[in-house]
Amino acid sequence: MNFKVTGRLLPRSNPTALPIHFMRDMGKVAVEISQTGAVRSANADERLAICRGCAEFFEPHLERCRHPKCGCFMRVKTWFHALHCPAGKW
């Protein structure tokens, strides 16, 4: 089911790919933490603000990205410097 935002439908993220994307991203986070010791990106709030302004993919009531290559909960994903926006916005 797609959700309507501002009168248009959001794309669906691929539910079968979500576990694969999750594991890939957790691997990147583990490497980042082992190398830098940092857990939270300094610009996490700025990244989340960019996500919240994205009418194309952002699902506001869940704070989730509906990009076909993502599907992540952005409040968590924006914390990590090693992770990025699949739409190239940050």
Side-chain angles (χ1 to χ4, degrees):
M1 164 164 93
N2 289 334
F3 295 92
K4 287 188 177 185
V5 173
T6 62
R8 41 188 209 142
L9 294 176
L10 291 172
R12 290 183 179 195
S13 51
N14 182 352
T16 58
L18 293 180
I20 295 167
H21 295 170
F22 176 78
M23 294 307 294
R24 179 202 60 211
D25 287 350
M26 288 302 97
K28 289 179 183 178
V29 168
V31 169
E32 176 184 355
I33 291 171
S34 70
Q35 291 176 348
T36 66
V39 175
R40 184 168 180 172
S41 172
N43 57 356
D45 294 330
E46 180 183 325
R47 287 177 165 195
L48 187 56
I50 292 169
C51 292
R52 287 179 175 151
C54 179
E56 187 176 4
F57 297 115
F58 192 66
E59 187 177 331
H61 63 285
L62 293 176
E63 293 204 333
R64 182 174 171 206
C65 178
R66 299 289 292 181
H67 190 280
K69 292 185 178 179
C70 189
C72 296
F73 292 95
M74 301 315 290
R75 185 175 295 274
V76 175
K77 186 172 183 173
T78 56
W79 278 31
F80 301 104
H81 181 70
L83 305 183
H84 65 282
C85 170
K89 297 187 179 193
W90 47 265

